[in-house]
Amino acid sequence: MIPQQDRYVMRLAWYDEEQWQLLCALVPDRGELDDTYEQWQQSARQAVREIESSGRKVERVFVDVLAMSEWCRERNVPLTGSARAHYVAQLANGPRGGGD
């Protein structure tokens, strides 16, 4: 029998440096983000290690910040942490490749 935790994949938003800088410029909750891309990368990698050490799999979901911002605008929601998490969940569950 497969352990319950192995059935699930933890999906994490992943940004390259350019996208992360754009994210920092657009979010209303900038104070909740790391000060630098390098700090964010270190935090994100640590999170991946911790999740994987608990036996879960991690899927990095690469984010196009302008597309995410547009998604929020269409729904009339601010680009906050909860909106970003919802967007990443939608990306992870949606069709691959098109970013729709």
Side-chain angles (χ1 to χ4, degrees):
M1 180 170 198
I2 298 173
Q4 183 77 9
Q5 66 183 4
D6 287 345
R7 293 185 199 174
Y8 300 101
V9 174
M10 176 69 72
R11 293 175 175 99
L12 295 177
W14 212 261
Y15 306 95
D16 64 21
E17 188 168 6
E18 180 181 333
Q19 292 298 309
W20 191 83
Q21 295 293 340
L22 183 57
L23 176 70
C24 290
L26 295 178
V27 297
D29 56 352
R30 174 63 180 100
E32 294 182 18
L33 300 177
D34 290 303
D35 291 334
T36 67
Y37 177 72
E38 291 75 20
Q39 288 174 343
W40 171 80
Q41 226 177 12
Q42 185 177 17
S43 297
R45 288 181 177 145
Q46 179 63 32
V48 168
R49 284 191 296 274
E50 289 174 10
I51 294 164
E52 289 178 339
S53 73
S54 73
R56 299 193 61 188
K57 296 180 189 274
V58 175
E59 178 184 342
R60 296 174 183 183
V61 179
F62 291 88
V63 177
D64 176 324
V65 173
L66 288 179
M68 180 171 60
S69 179
E70 178 65 16
W71 180 89
C72 287
R73 189 191 63 72
E74 289 171 356
R75 286 156 183 77
N76 198 31
V77 297
L79 189 56
T80 60
S82 61
R84 295 188 301 266
H86 190 87
Y87 178 77
V88 168
Q90 179 180 309
L91 276 183
N93 292 322
R96 299 283 190 233
D100 295 325

